[in-house]
Amino acid sequence: MKQIGMKYSGSCHCGGIKFEVEGDFQEGLECNCSMCSRKGSILGFVPRENLKLLTPEDRMATYLFNKHIIRHHFCKTCGIHPLAEAKDRSGKPTAAINLRCLENFDLGALKIKKFNGAAL
Ligand SMILES: [Zn+2]
């Protein structure tokens, strides 16, 4: 079910990937897995239907690693990773938004939650 929240615009650096997302992002997740520690992304999670891609899907390249559960999308042109897609524990499609890629979003007000992804 769609979650109610603020609507934000987000993009990669060059604008090849643009999206709108509705979410209540009070908390950002900082993961220490081999991927996230390199990217430095701060993640916010929403049901997949809260994410609307405004650019063609094929502008995104997809990277898979470990158990191939998360589809890490990045821009083929500028290399920025604005989002990922996966399923939550109950099998519901979920989007992980890199909150650093949102416009008019106050990262400083976020509560940062550390996630031990390296242990997975
Ligand atoms: Zn780009």
Side-chain angles (χ1 to χ4, degrees):
M1 214 174 45
K2 200 169 162 187
Q3 215 177 69
I4 305 299
M6 288 270 292
K7 216 173 231 174
Y8 297 98
S9 299
S11 66
C12 65
H13 186 260
C14 72
I17 303 171
K18 285 191 179 138
F19 59 93
E20 267 175 13
V21 64
E22 199 174 330
D24 179 24
F25 302 116
Q26 310 274 343
E27 216 173 59
L29 191 125
E30 233 178 56
C31 173
N32 65 355
C33 82
S34 55
M35 181 72 180
C36 294
S37 60
R38 283 170 171 77
K39 283 198 288 207
S41 42
I42 299 177
L43 299 174
F45 296 85
V46 290
R48 176 59 183 82
E49 60 198 296
N50 280 42
L51 170 70
K52 195 171 132 202
L53 268 182
L54 303 175
T55 45
E57 189 111 13
D58 66 6
R59 299 263 183 93
M60 302 194 298
T62 298
Y63 181 64
L64 301 168
F65 72 106
N66 198 10
K67 293 173 189 157
H68 290 201
I69 291 168
I70 308 172
R71 301 194 302 285
H72 299 269
H73 297 308
F74 61 97
C75 175
K76 287 177 179 172
T77 303
C78 71
I80 296 296
H81 288 65
L83 59 103
E85 291 177 85
K87 287 193 170 121
D88 73 5
R89 265 173 216 154
S90 60
K92 237 174 43 187
T94 299
I97 308 299
N98 182 359
L99 300 176
R100 291 190 182 276
C101 293
L102 298 183
E103 287 163 24
N104 303 314
F105 181 76
D106 185 6
L107 283 170
L110 266 184
K111 208 176 100 198
I112 298 295
K113 203 168 116 189
K114 304 271 183 192
F115 180 73
N116 189 12
L120 292 181

